[in-house]
Amino acid sequence: MREEKFKKEVFTLKKFFSIYCQNKHQNQSKIPYLIKYKDLELNFEISLCNECKELFEYAIQKLKECPNDPKPRCRKCKKPCYEKEKFKQMAKLMRYSGIKLGLSKITSKFRKKSL
Ligand SMILES: [Zn+2]
């Protein structure tokens, strides 16, 4: 995939992981990352617990190795590269944070209208 796409995917993962972990878990620590992909270097920090950290790194690794271009949504991929257990964890996380994000968007729209 293109670097731009990769970057977008990484930052989406970052957002979803942060929301999930902060709502569900405790004992996060700040982890600095330097992720390299082709000509790209992504430098950021994310607060995660150990469990999420492991899954996050797994997800980044899988993303790097994704042979599909354009990358489909993992859920719709014909050849999912995730192990079953990890796939389940990931689906739960994405669903949870997706709902949270969706809800907060709706709320802020609603607020703007009523002001
Ligand atoms: Zn966590």
Side-chain angles (χ1 to χ4, degrees):
M1 78 190 87
R2 298 263 309 273
E3 282 100 324
E4 267 312 300
K5 171 78 175 158
F6 181 81
K7 189 173 163 185
K8 230 175 109 190
E9 294 281 336
V10 169
F11 281 103
T12 305
L13 283 173
K14 180 175 175 273
K15 192 158 71 181
F16 277 61
F17 269 80
S18 306
I19 290 171
Y20 183 77
C21 192
Q22 256 142 49
N23 281 282
K24 292 276 198 184
H25 305 143
Q26 281 165 353
N27 301 322
Q28 285 92 356
S29 44
K30 253 193 189 168
I31 313 150
Y33 280 104
L34 177 60
I35 292 168
K36 287 182 186 168
Y37 184 75
K38 295 178 187 171
D39 292 331
L40 191 70
E41 275 194 8
L42 294 175
N43 206 340
F44 60 88
E45 272 186 351
I46 178 168
S47 292
L48 293 176
C49 70
N50 279 336
E51 193 190 318
C52 292
K53 172 180 185 277
E54 202 183 295
L55 188 62
F56 183 68
E57 285 170 11
Y58 182 84
I60 299 279
Q61 194 55 39
K62 290 295 179 190
L63 186 61
K64 272 188 185 174
E65 289 165 3
C66 182
N68 302 305
D69 199 7
K71 181 177 118 35
R73 285 183 169 270
C74 292
R75 211 185 307 163
K76 293 197 174 144
C77 187
K78 287 198 178 77
K79 271 184 163 183
C81 56
Y82 277 61
E83 290 156 44
K84 229 181 178 173
E85 224 16 70
K86 294 262 200 294
F87 191 81
K88 266 195 229 159
Q89 265 177 284
M90 196 66 185
K92 202 168 94 185
L93 186 153
M94 296 308 269
R95 203 180 318 125
Y96 179 88
S97 298
I99 289 168
K100 282 257 164 191
L101 282 170
L103 283 182
S104 57
K105 237 184 244 164
I106 290 165
T107 329
S108 63
K109 244 185 223 163
F110 178 72
R111 272 199 206 117
K112 254 179 229 158
K113 256 190 193 164
S114 58
L115 280 177

